[in-house]
Amino acid sequence: MSRIFEDSKTFVDMSMKNSEEEILQDFDQLLQESDENPSEDQIRQFVDEHFEKSNELEDWTPPDYKDNPEFLSEIEDEEMRDYAQNLVKIWSTLTRKVKDEVKKSPETFSLIPVENGFVVPGGRFEEFYYWDTYWIIRGLLLAEMYDTVRGMLENFLSMVERYGFIPNGSRVYYLNRSQPPLLTLMIFHYIEATNDIDWLGTNLKTIEQELRFWLDNRTVKWYPSTRILLRRRSHR
Ligand SMILES: OC[C@H]1O[C@H](O[C@H]2O[C@H](CO)[C@@H](O)[C@H](O)[C@H]2O)[C@H](O)[C@@H](O)[C@@H]1O
């Protein structure tokens, strides 16, 4: 976008103010009028007219959040305990839910709507990411936030149902790539902490579908010497 924004993520995270047809029509007109070479000012004006900074997420306090989970009392060193407590408090600054308006008109946003709340990395990353969520889930389980974890896993499973795999992050522009496949390991830790075998049984088919995606589409044969090895690739 002619680098009118410092961060390449600013434009792609904006939402559309007008219909796709209207925007494409105006863009064609802009190209025609400018002999296919619009100035920076013209592009800026076009973007202002048709796009706006998105307001797609709401802050969310997970109902199972607690300030003082049990594991803190097991940390003997006071400094380490304070540090861990401060880490626990960070959850409430990074937990989000998708607003209803995104679910009603998803075509207007680059964010992919999901039903349950989740944890974002923060800063410029206001969506959830595949492999970040592995470490996030390890922390949430320590903090006994089992319902939140189950909801986040279900968000991932809904992605597998919709797209056949889990994208890099929950934005449509991440649909052409994934990240290191850690879903089964996340589920392993969830089951280890909760023994929620019924949930596992209900979702086994979708979990296998994700594994199949990697085995069928992202596995290469590698011949380092005489041994044949299969390696998984996370990026295209
Ligand atoms: O914009 C540069 C890159 O940003 C993302 O990757 C980085 O942040 C992610 C979220 O914390 C993290 O999962 C990843 O390991 C980081 O490298 C994005 O996922 C990349 O596609 C993008 O090139």
Side-chain angles (χ1 to χ4, degrees):
M1 257 295 163
S2 256
R3 297 232 163 260
I4 63 170
F5 299 111
E6 248 173 58
D7 185 345
S8 60
K9 216 167 167 303
T10 308
F11 175 66
V12 290
D13 289 356
M14 286 177 148
S15 56
M16 288 154 58
K17 288 204 256 184
N18 304 307
S19 73
E20 185 183 336
E21 295 74 41
E22 205 177 324
I23 296 176
L24 288 175
Q25 212 174 353
D26 264 22
F27 190 62
D28 277 346
Q29 199 180 331
L30 173 64
L31 288 183
Q32 267 177 34
E33 282 170 7
S34 62
D35 208 11
E36 308 234 332
N37 191 18
S39 67
E40 207 181 298
D41 274 354
Q42 283 175 308
I43 294 175
R44 213 176 275 281
Q45 201 186 334
F46 172 82
V47 170
D48 281 350
E49 204 175 319
H50 293 294
F51 299 90
E52 62 192 347
K53 189 174 163 13
S54 257
N55 182 16
E56 56 211 354
L57 294 169
E58 54 195 28
D59 291 343
W60 168 68
T61 304
D64 53 1
Y65 171 78
K66 37 186 125 167
D67 270 337
N68 265 306
E70 193 59 40
F71 84 96
L72 291 176
S73 63
E74 289 161 25
I75 304 175
E76 285 174 14
D77 183 90
E78 200 183 323
E79 206 178 326
M80 283 306 284
R81 197 168 51 245
D82 286 351
Y83 176 69
Q85 172 125 55
N86 285 330
L87 284 182
V88 167
K89 283 186 187 152
I90 290 177
W91 293 135
S92 55
T93 68
L94 296 173
T95 38
R96 308 273 187 278
K97 256 198 151 165
V98 176
K99 284 190 175 168
D100 281 344
E101 59 196 85
V102 182
K103 295 178 191 164
K104 278 185 206 139
S105 14
E107 69 286 354
T108 310
F109 300 85
S110 65
L111 190 77
I112 299 173
V114 287
E115 277 311 309
N116 306 307
F118 50 83
V119 179
V120 299
R124 63 200 281 267
F125 298 117
E126 276 290 317
E127 53 279 314
F128 64 80
Y129 283 76
Y130 188 1
W131 78 330
D132 299 46
T133 305
Y134 171 76
W135 290 281
I136 290 168
I137 277 183
R138 297 295 306 264
L140 292 173
L141 289 173
L142 259 183
E144 299 156 49
M145 293 169 67
Y146 309 120
D147 292 343
T148 299
V149 170
R150 192 176 56 249
M152 288 166 66
L153 292 173
E154 286 172 3
N155 289 339
F156 278 144
L157 294 173
S158 82
M159 295 260 187
V160 178
E161 279 156 9
R162 279 178 275 177
Y163 307 112
F165 74 106
I166 297 171
N168 182 114
S170 57
R171 294 268 176 195
V172 290
Y173 54 75
Y174 284 138
L175 283 172
N176 63 354
R177 59 187 189 274
S178 186
Q179 283 191 325
L182 293 172
L183 179 68
T184 39
L185 208 50
M186 293 182 213
I187 292 172
F188 168 80
H189 290 298
Y190 170 69
I191 299 296
E192 191 180 44
T194 62
N195 201 28
D196 193 353
I197 300 295
D198 289 346
W199 181 90
L200 180 63
T202 313
N203 293 293
L204 209 50
K205 227 174 128 191
T206 316
I207 298 165
E208 281 187 326
Q209 189 186 340
E210 204 245 357
L211 180 63
R212 268 272 52 101
F213 166 82
W214 286 92
L215 294 177
D216 293 348
N217 305 291
R218 295 290 185 277
T219 306
V220 287
K221 284 203 175 100
W222 184 41
Y223 307 91
S225 58
T226 49
R227 286 189 311 154
I228 297 179
L229 295 176
L230 292 177
R231 297 197 75 197
R232 278 174 287 171
R233 292 187 307 175
S234 62
H235 295 275
R236 278 185 150 186

